[in-house]
Amino acid sequence: MSIVKKLATAVCAVALAGGVLAGCTNAAANTATAEQQANRVYMSQVNEIMEELGDGLDSFVDAVSRNDIVNMRTQADNAYQALDKLGDLEAPDELADIQEKYVDGADKLREALDEYIALYTEMNGASFDMSTYDSRIDDIQKLYDEGVDLMSEADETAASKS
């Protein structure tokens, strides 16, 4: 499975986890404190952004499958808009550490996508050195894994606070 497909799968998993957390209610939901309500609103916003990101990454994967570098950049930029929204969210004080992990994870994912596009662009050039391919893919995979791990940590932390 390519890095981009794994990235799209991970983003979908994060979105689903956020949706589950945002949708969790109990019998005392009617008496939720303002803090609890703010936490739910925040996690709902995270879920919506992750869905947007997933859509952007699906389009990115489509562009990759068509070897369309220009459209890859366009679709990556669309995905980055969702990542920017995530960075702009104001988390309730109780969830500030979660927000930081989401943003750090998003930054790693952005960097991995940028590196992937750069590699793919260079591969289509006449002077690409194939001997660097494996190490560059490993570096991109490391960035990707770090991003997914940070987002997973954020999900786990959020779930433990619900």
Side-chain angles (χ1 to χ4, degrees):
M1 181 180 278
S2 76
I3 290 172
V4 176
K5 288 181 182 175
K6 287 180 184 178
L7 180 62
T9 301
V11 169
C12 288
V14 170
L16 288 174
V20 168
L21 181 62
C24 290
T25 59
N26 59 33
N30 292 336
T31 60
T33 65
E35 182 178 283
Q36 290 170 324
Q37 186 62 29
N39 291 352
R40 286 188 188 111
V41 167
Y42 167 77
M43 290 309 300
S44 178
Q45 290 171 328
V46 168
N47 183 49
E48 288 174 23
I49 291 168
M50 290 301 179
E51 287 178 18
E52 285 179 42
L53 179 60
D55 291 343
L57 291 174
D58 287 344
S59 296
F60 181 83
V61 170
D62 183 55
V64 169
S65 70
R66 289 182 283 114
N67 195 23
D68 184 350
I69 296 170
V70 172
N71 201 24
M72 276 196 288
R73 172 49 54 198
T74 300
Q75 297 310 322
D77 288 343
N78 290 339
Y80 298 160
Q81 289 177 8
L83 294 174
D84 290 342
K85 286 181 185 178
L86 183 62
D88 292 342
L89 272 183
E90 297 222 12
D93 290 340
E94 182 182 345
L95 303 180
D97 56 334
I98 292 169
Q99 173 69 6
E100 185 176 329
K101 286 181 185 178
Y102 279 130
V103 170
D104 290 346
D107 289 344
K108 294 289 185 181
L109 294 178
R110 179 188 314 259
E111 191 176 346
L113 277 177
D114 281 342
E115 291 296 322
Y116 185 82
I117 292 169
L119 174 62
Y120 209 86
T121 301
E122 289 175 35
M123 287 175 59
N124 286 306
S127 62
F128 180 70
D129 180 4
M130 279 304 288
S131 68
T132 65
Y133 178 80
D134 288 337
S135 67
R136 288 184 63 188
I137 285 292
D138 289 344
D139 291 344
I140 294 168
Q141 184 67 50
K142 182 180 175 189
L143 285 170
Y144 159 79
D145 290 342
E146 290 171 2
V148 170
D149 289 347
L150 286 166
M151 289 187 158
S152 294
E153 287 176 27
D155 285 342
E156 290 170 15
T157 303
S160 71
K161 290 186 179 189
S162 64

